[in-house]
């Protein structure tokens, strides 16, 4: 079987090279491409995408996978070879079950929706996108139906980003979380609002950058295997485990913008830099799911980066960078400012406590829309009512309501949002496990040291790349399935202290 | 025939997308890639190159070209369709006549040579590369022999970069030039050397950059369709006529380094930005030959950028950027400094007058080696003797002698150098023609205006992309074949005045 396996690996390498090349082109498009280079770039990326898809879905790949079935069964489940064959088969089935003509129609439609949304949002014009969104819903249902035998129609769509997570499991976990969060938000927001003016004076970008570069190097980001650039929307991208890049957005009058997006993206990047380099060029390269990926960005951004222990070490350094702005601000005042909780209508601006309420209502709407229990035309009213119910605040218009996120206007309805909150929940579960295994971690963090934590995360999560599905990985790492208690404990402890809950 | 032509264009677009993607990867490799990204990048570029080659040399392309033969004959020679078919057939024959196995062997060998050269040059160790160079020579002969029927064995190799230029024609033109240059260099270098200390104080990079950006914008470089970055070795690269990028190298203590390399690369870039956008994605995209390309870089760098008229306008602006360094330096002293002629041993550091002597001796050695009239083992002595004869100076060692250029250690012997001097000769021929057609050009240059010149170059050269071969284009543009008199006149006038020849 060695021969078939080697042929498979060669083919996967070729597909991976095309996909990585396309990723370089995407990175360049977002960072340095001159404006008029856009049309040719779109053409180049379309060609690379088409070739990668053709090569991966070629019938010969299916034949190789069939021939390798018995070999796979003879290998240990968690061996590299069995995992490679298993992960490749899963991808192959996903990509061959949906006809290419359907995907072309789907991309064509979402491209049109996106163009309309870019206009409709500033115009506050939901009516303009409504028929397109109705078609998106219909196409999303069709897409799901290429994978018959599901328990819930959202399950195949969730599988695209969080394989193995079912609507029922996620829904139950989310309901548990919501039951704790809604009263917590009510309690906090009934108190005197925190003064965060200290974050909103003027902070020169080069000093913001110098500060967070110091920090992410301490975290363990390796600049020999990656870099950092500036873009309007921060992201992390990788072309190999040895070339992982993240981007950051600056706001002169908001110190938290660049710093916390740098910590967040560094979390994603540490994961990618930590994947076993043996997996480069194979289906096992890269992080395993959107939820697990988000657990790492959130762990480094929030559980570390917004913790008191972290700032005990770094706040004096930050004050050195900004003596005029922060010299007179106490560590405690700063800590409260960066952890200010408030009712808000925009998901991406939300604090750690309210953020998940934004996500979970979107998840519920995706299910309701797919089930046929909510019509697209009724979405704006339902949206506003749910904001009132969960967050105690209603969007003044659709622009900052149902039109705020790009997801439904550029991709399917279903599977788009759950990863954000799964990430938060997982982060707490993982962090709790790490500290149990390595009790020195909290003390090291107070000293700006991350080696023990990073090594533990690398050995237990990062190294595996996509070898395990998210549910498998969670079970392996924590010995338990996904559950919400560690996250609720984390929030109760941290915000209980901050707000005397 | 429209159907076959459209299929051909679709195939060429795909090949072009792969090649452009590979160019983006190469640009990133030279500019921003983190060090450890190199191995994966090499793999990605190899895959893109292999796929582009497979797709372009596919038998179906040959069948399409055959079917299109009669259609091609019915179209005017200079029509887009006939030119596309003609240029594609030329490329197809070039790429299919050489077996893929031979090219793999050749690339493998030159990759090894390059690695050895990187070590051997600082070690001044010609013996280390001699056997590799002997094999390069043998492989270069084999490569040429895949194209039987040549007049001189170098001709097929010259065709790779300067299609249609024969060793005999080039040799004759070069001999004429050399006959004028050797005595000119003798005369100039017998005089008191020019003092160029004013170029060698300290010039902050950001100000150098600000100055040359002003200038290249005036030249007509469009930053909406391109950009500029920093690399150790300056180059120009394009992914479409709407995305053309150049790079520059800075030296703090040499003002001429960045500025003139910016002008040089901008010449290449203006050519690429000026190609008919209709040709994007086809065989007609991009400049037509290394000599014609170099004629444009040299025209903008030297004939414009080192001219008295140019500096009459820009020198006061340069002084504003560097008041401490240049405030007390007269325009005349500066002009003499940037045009200082001296005997030198390094080609890339040579001035306008001596530069071609460096190139022409390399060209002659390529012919002699290929003919079998010079053995690789005798090259270092022959090299030093020829330097003594032509330039009146002998390299102190092989490091700064026969080991100085990368070309023979990373590619074939034959066709590697002639383009540099062809470019200088052509630049003068083209510039003379432009001024005859548009007599206002010299006056406009004194005012820092380039619209008339750029428009003339665009309409007569740039727009055509690769539609015409270099000899065809020269004939169309100047009404004459390649000849050296305008260039000798240019040098005699400029340096006659500077050195009272």
């Amino acid at each position: 079987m060695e021969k078939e396996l080697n042929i498979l690996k060669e083919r996967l390498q070729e597909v991976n090279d095309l996909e990585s090349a396309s990723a370089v082109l995407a990175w360049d498009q977002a960072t340095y491409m001159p404006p008029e280079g856009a049309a040719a770039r779109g053409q180049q990326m379309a060609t690379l995408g088409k070739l990668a898809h053709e090569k991966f879905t070629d019938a010969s790949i299916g034949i190789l996978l069939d021939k390798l079935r018995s070999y796979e069964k003879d290998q240990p489940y968690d061996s590299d070879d069995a995992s490679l064959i298993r992960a490749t088969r899963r991808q192959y089935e996903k990509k061959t079950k949906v006809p290419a003509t359907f995907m072309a129609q789907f991309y064509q439609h979402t491209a049109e929706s996106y163009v309309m949304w870019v206009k409709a949002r500033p115009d506050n014009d939901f009516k303009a996108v409504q028929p397109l969104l109705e078609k998106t819903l219909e196409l999303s249902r069709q897409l799901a139906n290429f994978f018959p035998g599901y328990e819930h129609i959202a399950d195949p769509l969730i599988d695209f980003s969080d394989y193995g997570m079912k609507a029922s499991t996620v829904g139950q976990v989310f309901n548990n979380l919501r039951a704790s969060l809604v009263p917590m938000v009510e309690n906090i927001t009934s108190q005197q609002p925190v003064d965060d003016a200290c974050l909103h004076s003027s902070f020169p970008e080069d000093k913001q950058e110098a500060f967070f570069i110091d920090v992410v190097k301490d975290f363990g980001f390796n600049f020999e295997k990656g870099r950092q650039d500036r873009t309007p929307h921060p992201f992390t991208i990788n072309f190999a485990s040895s070339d992982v890049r993240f981007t950051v957005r600056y706001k002169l009058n908001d110190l938290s913008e660049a710093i916390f997006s740098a910590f967040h993206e560094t979390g994603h990047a540490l994961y990618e830099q930590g994947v076993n380099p043996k997996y480069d060029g194979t289906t096992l390269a890269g992080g395993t799911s959107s939820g697990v990926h988000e657990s790492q960005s959130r762990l480094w951004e929030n559980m570390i980066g917004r913790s008191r222990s972290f700032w005990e070490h770094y706040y004096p350094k930050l004050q050195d960078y900004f003596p005029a702005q922060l010299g007179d601000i106490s560590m405690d005042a700063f800590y409260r400012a960066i952890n200010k909780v408030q009712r808000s209508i925009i998901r991406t601006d939300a604090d750690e406590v309210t953020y998940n309420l934004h996500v979970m209502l979107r998840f519920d709407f995706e299910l309701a829309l797919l089930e046929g229990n909510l019509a697209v035309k009724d979405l704006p009213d339902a949206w506003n009512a749910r904001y009132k119910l969960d967050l105690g605040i209603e969007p003044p218009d659709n622009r900052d309501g149902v039109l705020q996120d790009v997801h439904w206007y550029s991709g399917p309805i279903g599977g788009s949002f759950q990863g954000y909150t799964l990430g938060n929940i997982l982060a707490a579960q993982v962090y709790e496990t790490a500290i149990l295994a390595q009790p020195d971690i909290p003390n090291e963090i107070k000293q700006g040291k991350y080696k023990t934590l990073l090594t533990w995360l690398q050995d237990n999560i990062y190294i595996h790349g996509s070898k395990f599905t998210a549910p498998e990985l969670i079970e392996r790492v924590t010995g338990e399935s996904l559950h919400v208690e560690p996250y609720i404990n984390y929030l109760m402890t941290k915000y209980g202290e901050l707000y005397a809950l």
Side-chain angles (χ1 to χ4, degrees), chain A:
Chain A
M1 282 303 142
E2 214 169 278
K3 197 182 136 213
E4 278 81 5
L5 191 61
N6 285 337
I7 297 174
L8 182 68
K9 283 182 183 172
E10 268 173 38
R11 301 288 180 85
L12 293 177
Q13 176 74 58
E14 203 175 34
V15 171
N16 194 283
D17 287 337
L18 286 164
E19 287 170 346
S20 296
S22 192
V24 177
L25 268 57
W27 173 85
D28 178 74
Q29 186 177 43
T31 52
Y32 295 115
M33 188 184 74
E36 298 207 16
R41 181 54 50 86
Q43 168 69 42
Q44 292 147 9
M45 288 170 69
T47 294
L48 295 181
K50 184 177 74 80
L51 289 175
H53 187 265
E54 279 174 15
K55 286 188 177 288
F56 187 74
T57 57
D58 193 88
S60 64
I61 301 279
I63 295 168
L64 285 167
L65 288 169
D66 280 344
K67 285 193 177 172
L68 286 163
R69 213 177 277 271
S70 64
Y71 173 77
E72 180 193 351
K73 284 200 184 113
D74 292 344
Q75 306 299 312
Y77 185 85
D78 63 356
S79 67
D80 285 353
D81 283 355
S83 301
L84 175 69
I85 298 165
R86 188 172 67 242
T88 306
R89 180 174 296 113
R90 192 185 305 136
Q91 287 287 333
Y92 182 76
E93 286 173 0
K94 196 174 81 186
K95 292 195 177 171
T96 50
K97 277 187 178 168
V98 186
T101 49
F102 176 84
M103 282 318 292
Q105 187 198 356
F106 188 81
Y107 288 137
Q108 173 78 22
H109 171 69
T110 51
E112 281 165 28
S113 294
Y114 176 75
V115 170
M116 185 60 86
W117 173 77
V118 166
K119 258 184 60 64
R121 195 188 169 203
D123 291 351
N124 189 34
D125 187 1
F126 181 75
K127 282 271 176 278
V129 294
Q130 188 189 310
L132 292 158
L133 205 54
E134 283 164 353
K135 188 166 176 198
T136 303
L137 179 59
E138 180 47 36
L139 290 171
S140 302
R141 286 205 190 97
Q142 289 179 29
L143 181 57
N145 284 324
F146 289 116
F147 303 87
Y150 51 72
E151 185 185 295
H152 188 284
I153 187 169
D155 288 350
L157 303 170
I158 293 172
D159 271 350
F160 282 118
S161 48
D162 288 291
Y163 187 84
M165 291 289 183
K166 299 205 174 308
S168 56
T169 331
V170 176
Q172 202 170 351
V173 170
F174 281 11
N175 284 339
N176 289 342
L177 181 58
R178 183 167 170 245
S180 299
L181 285 184
V182 172
M184 200 189 296
V185 172
E186 268 170 26
N187 186 332
I188 292 174
T189 53
S190 68
Q191 302 182 28
Q192 178 74 17
V194 166
D195 178 3
D196 63 352
C198 64
L199 303 176
H200 297 282
S201 59
S202 183
F203 301 90
E205 291 183 3
D206 57 337
K207 292 199 171 171
Q208 294 189 45
E209 180 171 80
F211 172 74
F212 75 66
I213 292 288
D214 287 351
V215 175
V216 305
K217 279 182 180 168
D218 289 348
F219 283 174
F221 182 82
N222 182 346
F223 279 93
E224 298 288 302
K225 300 187 178 190
R227 52 178 290 119
Q228 174 261 323
D229 298 273
R230 300 175 179 212
T231 52
H233 299 281
F235 64 90
T236 301
I237 197 165
N238 57 302
F239 320 132
S241 60
S242 53
D243 193 346
V244 181
R245 308 182 185 187
F246 70 93
T247 70
V248 162
R249 166 176 60 195
Y250 294 82
K251 281 190 189 157
L252 193 63
N253 67 347
D254 184 352
L255 182 59
S256 56
E257 178 69 35
I259 287 177
F260 291 109
S261 67
F263 298 173
H264 181 97
E265 300 305 331
T266 297
H268 287 301
L270 289 171
Y271 190 177
E272 292 296 338
Q273 285 191 338
V275 173
N276 195 333
K278 273 200 298 185
Y279 300 161
D280 275 342
T282 77
T283 324
L284 301 184
T288 191
S289 76
S290 114
V292 176
H293 237 301
E294 199 70 8
S295 78
Q296 295 313 299
S297 56
R298 289 301 192 163
L299 191 156
W300 290 96
E301 175 194 357
N302 289 336
M303 300 194 171
I304 308 291
R306 290 188 204 261
S307 71
R308 199 183 278 276
S309 300
F310 173 89
W311 288 107
E312 277 175 18
H313 181 78
Y314 287 105
Y315 189 60
K317 296 174 193 290
L318 186 67
Q319 286 178 307
D320 287 346
Y321 278 108
F322 301 110
Q325 298 91 329
L326 298 175
D328 294 337
I329 308 295
S330 74
M331 151 77 192
D332 190 64
F334 177 80
Y335 176 66
R336 283 174 186 278
I338 61 169
N339 287 298
K340 179 179 182 176
V341 176
Q342 57 194 326
R343 301 181 194 277
S344 66
I345 50 170
I346 303 292
R347 175 182 62 86
T348 54
D349 294 343
D351 56 81
E352 226 182 333
V353 178
T354 57
Y355 184 80
N356 300 294
L357 293 171
H358 294 261
V359 172
M360 293 187 294
L361 65 87
R362 286 157 175 77
F363 176 76
D364 287 345
F365 285 136
E366 288 194 315
L367 300 196
L369 287 162
L370 285 166
E371 290 159 358
N373 290 328
L374 175 68
V376 168
K377 72 172 168 46
D378 299 326
L379 184 58
D381 286 347
W383 182 282
N384 296 348
R386 177 72 181 264
Y387 261 84
K388 184 82 191 157
L389 188 66
D390 280 11
L391 285 140
I393 186 172
E394 228 173 317
D397 50 29
N398 289 327
R399 177 177 36 229
D400 288 339
V402 70
L403 289 170
Q404 75 180 258
D405 292 304
V406 68
H407 304 56
W408 293 337
Y409 308 97
S410 64
I413 294 175
S416 310
F417 289 100
Q418 77 285 333
Y420 298 117
T421 286
L422 289 178
N424 284 325
I425 297 168
L426 269 175
Q429 225 176 313
V430 163
Y431 196 41
E432 190 181 84
T433 311
I435 291 170
L436 278 173
Q438 300 285 351
D440 268 358
I441 289 172
N443 274 325
E444 290 185 6
I445 288 175
K446 286 185 190 159
Q447 303 162 51
K449 292 179 178 166
Y450 299 92
K451 193 152 190 283
T452 305
L453 172 61
L454 181 63
T455 304
W456 188 89
L457 290 168
Q458 275 173 337
D459 293 348
N460 288 279
I461 298 178
Y462 303 172
I463 191 81
H464 297 307
S466 288
K467 185 181 256 190
F468 303 110
T469 64
E472 286 170 355
L473 190 68
I474 299 165
E475 189 72 42
R476 277 180 69 97
V477 173
T478 69
E480 299 181 293
S481 59
L482 178 74
H483 63 115
V484 80
E485 287 71 22
Y487 186 53
I488 293 172
N489 285 343
Y490 159 76
L491 290 178
M492 285 304 294
T493 307
K494 177 172 176 180
Y495 291 91
E497 186 252 330
L498 272 165
Y499 287 96
L501 298 181

